[in-house]
Amino acid sequence: MADGKAPITPQEALDRCVKCGMCLPECPTYRLERNENESPRGRLALMEGLLQDRLPGDATLTRHLDNCLGCRRCERVCPSLVPYGRLLDVARAQLAGGRPRRLAALIQDPSLQRWGTQLARLTPSALSRPLRTLHGLHRLATALPATASAPPAGDYAPLNGAPRGRVGLFLGCASAAQQGGALQAALRLLRHAGFGVSIPAQAGCCGALSRHSGDPGRAAQLAQTNRAAFDASLDAVVSIASGCGIHLDDYQPPLPTEHFDINRFLLEQGDLGSAAFTPLAGEVLVHTPCSMENVYRGGGWVDALLALIPDLTLRAVGEAGQCCGSAGDYMLRHPDWAARLRAPILAAAAAHDARLLLTSNVGCAMHLAA
């Protein structure tokens, strides 16, 4: 670890929980079900029983842990600083026994994501309807408007003046397949801010889905691929999806150079205050993903960037910490719960006459749009 201290063991982490219950009203699944087994406190008790061999890893225990969104709102409010997300990964790895979910393995392949998205956009929805998961994939693949393709690998020179530095742009799998236009815009902004940009061909999936589905070995392989792709000659690595970003930040060992969410990077180092942004009159709704709100604590980054656009009126949609139900592949594995969690956000959005609903994580964007 960076401070030279050994990481705490799972049991030491579990011992931090004093069962105070402050996490209960913050937990999306507990708020849905009012069931202690669907709360962080209850799941920590189940994890402890599992890791101490006092409880079997049966279908019931697996279901309660699998129902967790991994939003980490409980970490945000925990007075004892219990690392709930890491404990959940440890427990899921033990339950999976090295056998990851096939769905996670499919989704995290960038080539399959790209080709699958293109195929889904050409396939009538009725053909996928008889198969629930396939239909869910089809709806997500066609939810967002088809825009520009992701920028190709290569090195891009800054657009204005002398170079201020050189950064790597992480494309990811879902962002590259679904939000090529956003990646093109990110590249354009970074170059306008005076940075040369490198997009390495070798970089791939961040590995978050592997780790969260109980396959730490595959997650480690993907992390090593990205460590090799983004070398120490870069001044920073930048990503546009906060869900990917928090996982990139958690690599052990870390990336050779510091990683930033693009919103934070542009605010702190982009010097965009004098940029001539085209005015955009009207109201825009802003949704803050759990990864941005609970882990980065960066809910204000997006607002601060959007405030540079003249005539734009920003309005937050949804309560702070209100998970939309996306959560990686959760929206495919638990579509009913995901839809229930999404409903109040969509209702709040419908109450406003806004042109756009913006969010800084691709999974949230797909789920809300679907």
Side-chain angles (χ1 to χ4, degrees), residues 228-258:
F230 295 101
D231 60 57
S233 68
L234 297 168
D235 296 298
V237 174
V238 175
S239 65
I240 73 165
S242 56
C244 296
I246 61 170
H247 184 70
L248 292 171
D249 287 341
D250 215 24
Y251 279 180
Q252 293 296 332
L255 287 168
T257 188
E258 189 174 4

Side-chain angles (χ1 to χ4, degrees), residues 76-97:
R76 177 78 187 259
V77 301
C78 179
S80 301
L81 304 179
V82 176
Y84 176 88
R86 294 188 183 185
L87 287 169
L88 182 64
D89 288 339
V90 169
R92 284 176 169 172
Q94 180 162 323
L95 288 171

Side-chain angles (χ1 to χ4, degrees), residues 99-366:
R99 298 181 299 276
R101 291 192 297 263
R102 285 190 295 259
L103 182 60
L106 173 69
I107 290 175
Q108 68 189 5
D109 185 298
S111 297
L112 286 176
Q113 276 249 15
R114 184 173 61 255
W115 290 110
T117 298
Q118 293 175 359
L119 180 62
R121 285 173 174 159
L122 297 173
T123 304
S125 176
L127 294 181
S128 66
R129 200 177 303 279
L131 299 174
R132 188 179 191 186
T133 299
L134 181 61
H135 187 57
L137 284 167
H138 184 277
R139 291 186 66 216
L140 290 173
T142 57
L144 297 175
T147 56
S149 299
D155 291 312
Y156 298 82
L159 295 176
N160 297 317
R164 300 180 57 219
R166 181 168 163 265
V167 302
L169 178 60
F170 178 79
L171 302 187
C173 16
S175 293
Q178 295 281 345
Q179 292 192 311
L183 287 165
Q184 291 279 6
L187 174 61
R188 194 161 58 249
L189 268 175
L190 290 166
R191 297 176 71 196
H192 270 289
F195 293 94
V197 181
S198 174
I199 301 177
Q202 313 95 293
C205 175
C206 69
L209 278 179
S210 287
R211 192 173 77 177
H212 300 328
S213 67
D215 189 4
R218 177 60 176 156
Q221 292 173 2
L222 293 167
Q224 180 53 38
T225 297
N226 290 322
R227 277 193 292 268
F230 295 101
D231 60 57
S233 68
L234 297 168
D235 296 298
V237 174
V238 175
S239 65
I240 73 165
S242 56
C244 296
I246 61 170
H247 184 70
L248 292 171
D249 287 341
D250 215 24
Y251 279 180
Q252 293 296 332
L255 287 168
T257 188
E258 189 174 4
H259 165 263
F260 290 85
D261 178 87
I262 190 170
N263 299 284
R264 177 188 172 192
F265 183 81
L266 288 172
L267 280 176
E268 295 181 357
Q269 304 187 42
D271 192 24
L272 293 174
S274 60
F277 288 100
T278 302
L280 182 64
E283 186 178 70
V284 167
L285 304 178
V286 181
H287 165 261
T288 303
C290 296
S291 45
M292 183 69 77
E293 172 76 16
N294 300 329
V295 183
Y296 275 145
R297 317 289 174 94
W301 297 343
V302 173
D303 288 359
L305 276 180
L306 291 174
L308 298 177
I309 302 174
D311 302 334
L312 196 63
T313 301
L314 306 180
R315 187 182 298 276
V317 62
E319 302 173 10
Q322 182 178 10
C323 182
C324 73
S326 166
D329 61 353
Y330 191 94
M331 52 193 166
L332 292 168
R333 294 183 292 107
H334 301 285
D336 295 335
W337 282 27
R340 289 168 64 190
L341 289 164
R342 178 180 57 189
I345 297 175
L346 295 183
H352 300 282
D353 184 22
R355 293 180 53 188
L356 300 169
L357 170 58
L358 307 180
T359 185
S360 54
N361 187 56
V362 61
C364 301
M366 293 163 65

